[in-house]
Amino acid sequence: MKCVVGTALAVAIGWSVTNATAQSKNPVDAYLEAAKAAAGFDFTGTLVRVCVAPQTAPGADVAPGPAPDRATWATDPAKVFDNLYFVGTKIHSAWALTTSEGIILIDTLYEYASDDAIVGGLRKLGLDPGTVKYVIVSHAHGDHVGGAKLMQDRFGARLIMGGPDWDMIDKSVNQYPNGKPKRDIVATDGQKVTLGDTTVTIILTPGHTPGTLSLIFDVKDNGKPLTVAYSGGTAFNFPNDVPHFDTYIESQRKMAAAAAGANATALMSNHSEFDNAVTKIKTLAARKPGEPHPFDIGRDAVARYFKVTETCAQLARFKLQAPKG
Ligand SMILES: [Zn+2]
């Protein structure tokens, strides 16, 4: 019932934004209200990041700073679904999807955390990091690509990344003082990465970076199958101009359609601030029999996530074009 109400609300909000944008003198408020309504209680972190305090410039090509104290980022690894394990930090997520033929690792954290949280985390969970066959890197920012070289060099894992993000790595002068991952598999739109009994579908969602990858894959919750929509890039730290926002907006719509088409009922991300991963994992530990899985939020809530990112991008794009003063 809750989901039905959510859908009706989302439709109503969509209608009111369209009208407010056309008729009201204050479309900024209309966009913001629509984004807030879409976020609900599920995506407040995403809302704050992209609607309230958007980051507005790409990071410079500089060497990573010193590693922060371990206590600021370390958290326990966890089994989240029958075949999906969290091996991330308090801030960034990395996910191990187990298959009949080994592991597909999704994202690799900052370099300073990767050995400890991913390699150590897998071992703590009774998984062998040597069985990681594929590493899908959602995009080539330091907080997700940091452990890619380690997985490639130490375990011979194949790396999959968007072509423009492989190019970003090639062009970088300063960001990889300990060496770059070697260019490997270039992701294509709709590509199926199959390992044993499991397939991950890649959706190219340029915007956050030119080669950002989002994913669709299935997991099992005590044997019950469900589908995950994995959003690979969220914040607006790209050149803030209309063409870049248009690209980002188109990708949010594309991924929303892919998630709906796959009947995805879980939304996952690579930052805990966007999908509340660390909090949900704590909730999961206290889950009682018969209670819903905290990540299984329903297809309408998944749709609302992409409505938040799209609407906030529309707002930022509108502000670029609005007359100043
Ligand atoms: Zn990023």
Side-chain angles (χ1 to χ4, degrees):
M1 191 61 203
K2 195 175 150 214
C3 292
V4 175
V5 172
T7 307
L9 189 64
V11 170
I13 294 295
W15 176 86
S16 68
V17 133
T18 309
N19 281 277
T21 310
Q23 295 166 12
S24 163
K25 289 213 165 99
N26 194 348
V28 168
D29 286 348
Y31 280 124
L32 198 51
E33 286 309 310
K36 278 184 192 168
F41 292 111
D42 299 291
F43 305 116
T44 49
T46 307
L47 178 77
V48 168
R49 183 63 181 270
V50 294
C51 244
V52 179
Q55 190 171 342
T56 56
D61 182 24
V62 295
D69 191 282
R70 185 178 187 277
T72 64
W73 54 263
T75 188
D76 288 333
K79 181 173 186 171
V80 173
F81 287 102
D82 302 2
N83 57 332
L84 188 71
Y85 297 76
F86 173 81
V87 286
T89 69
K90 288 174 185 168
I91 302 145
H92 301 99
S93 301
W95 302 94
L97 183 62
T98 55
T99 82
S100 58
E101 301 284 335
I103 294 171
I104 300 172
L105 182 70
I106 301 168
D107 282 318
T108 65
L109 316 175
Y110 273 117
E111 186 178 9
Y112 65 74
S114 57
D115 202 350
D116 190 325
I118 296 173
V119 179
L122 288 171
R123 291 205 171 111
K124 267 191 214 165
L125 293 163
L127 299 169
D128 177 4
T131 66
V132 175
K133 298 292 197 299
Y134 290 111
V135 178
I136 302 174
V137 178
S138 61
H139 65 273
H141 284 159
D143 47 351
H144 310 296
V145 74
K149 177 177 162 56
L150 181 160
M151 298 308 296
Q152 184 177 56
D153 288 354
R154 197 185 299 173
F155 302 112
R158 302 292 308 271
L159 303 184
I160 304 174
M161 220 177 315
D165 282 34
W166 279 119
D167 296 343
M168 280 166 54
I169 294 174
D170 288 347
K171 283 182 200 141
S172 171
V173 175
N174 301 313
Q175 288 175 58
Y176 299 88
N178 299 320
K180 300 176 179 182
K182 286 188 290 292
R183 182 183 277 261
D184 195 6
I185 299 168
V186 177
T188 56
D189 199 25
Q191 182 177 2
K192 309 266 184 205
V193 179
T194 298
L195 184 62
D197 58 1
T198 303
T199 295
V200 175
T201 302
I202 293 176
I203 315 289
L204 299 187
T205 50
H208 178 72
T209 64
T212 294
L213 310 181
S214 294
L215 312 172
I216 300 276
F217 54 90
D218 291 341
V219 292
K220 283 191 175 145
D221 173 32
N222 294 321
K224 179 194 147 195
L226 66 146
T227 300
V228 175
Y230 185 91
S231 173
T234 307
F236 299 164
N237 44 335
F238 45 79
N240 276 204
D241 54 32
V242 168
H244 280 85
F245 276 110
D246 284 345
T247 300
Y248 181 98
I249 289 163
E250 191 178 320
S251 288
Q252 302 316 298
R253 290 175 177 163
K254 179 182 180 183
M255 190 56 193
N263 198 27
T265 60
L267 185 287
M268 302 180 90
S269 169
N270 44 22
H271 284 252
S272 213
E273 88 185 271
F274 303 137
D275 66 359
N276 302 313
V278 171
T279 306
K280 283 181 191 279
I281 288 164
K282 286 181 183 150
T283 309
L284 185 63
R287 181 190 189 196
K288 298 195 179 69
E291 286 183 350
H293 192 291
F295 273 104
D296 190 8
I297 56 178
R299 54 179 288 141
D300 293 329
V302 171
R304 285 193 288 104
Y305 172 87
F306 294 104
K307 192 51 80 178
V308 175
T309 52
E310 181 194 332
T311 306
C312 294
Q314 295 275 15
L315 169 59
R317 183 187 186 282
F318 176 82
K319 285 180 176 171
L320 284 174
Q321 295 192 306
K324 301 276 186 295

